[in-house]
Amino acid sequence: MSNKTLVMLGAGGHAKVCYEIAVAMDQWEQIIILDDHPTNDFFETSGKLSDVENYPNADFFVAIGDNKKRKKLLNDIQNKNYKIISLIHSSAIISPTVNVETGTVIMPGVVINANTKIGKGCILNTSCTVDHDNNIGDYVHISPGANLAGNVTIGALSWIGIGATILNNLSIEKEVILGAGSLVIKNLLKTGTYIGSPVEIIK
């Protein structure tokens, strides 16, 4: 196969978008989908997640939206020394000074500006914007239409809700959930779920 095969783990809604990005990138002769519990007929799956060992020379991508599940599967693949790739849609605008770690997907319409670092296994969802000098931790999900100003730090495994806004020079703790449409105007230094404009912690 010599890396002409892409193995995608996951067959849910998130995986549909990742699959179409992979097809558009046109780098693989075949794309194989593995999932223990397929939830739709969009894909024809080729086996279970444990079947990764049948494709030691393939490229791998974990197409699962849940941050913690994505982390576990990525770590499992990495421990096998398999090759993990990132998926980047051609319409994304990414500064050449941006660093994107492996296993991340960058979806249509995303903008990432200068000197930003994107961790491994992240999801930068449709039309979100990440301005200059951001530091996005591993396994973060930035939802569609969210906007991060400059010098923002997001802790690992956080989920930034659809349409959220984070003002400049702010830090967000790991494993924070921001509700849809949230406005962040100060540092969020405690893990939890935040909603509102401006946000308040609810749990």
Side-chain angles (χ1 to χ4, degrees), residues 82-143:
Y82 295 165
K83 183 180 178 182
I84 301 169
I85 57 92
S86 291
L87 298 176
I88 300 176
H89 194 272
S90 61
S91 69
I93 300 172
I94 304 172
S95 164
T97 59
V98 167
N99 182 59
V100 179
E101 296 289 341
T102 190
T104 285
V105 59
I106 300 176
M107 294 192 175
V110 171
V111 177
I112 310 174
N113 284 332
N115 202 41
T116 284
K117 297 178 181 179
I118 308 295
K120 65 180 179 181
C122 291
I123 301 171
L124 275 72
N125 222 318
T126 309
S127 297
C128 71
T129 65
V130 180
D131 219 300
H132 64 89
D133 297 295
N134 275 227
N135 190 347
I136 309 302
D138 296 340
Y139 314 109
V140 167
H141 183 173
I142 303 176
S143 295

Side-chain angles (χ1 to χ4, degrees), residues 40 107 116 185 193:
N40 58 73
M107 294 192 175
T116 284
I185 63 172
T193 299

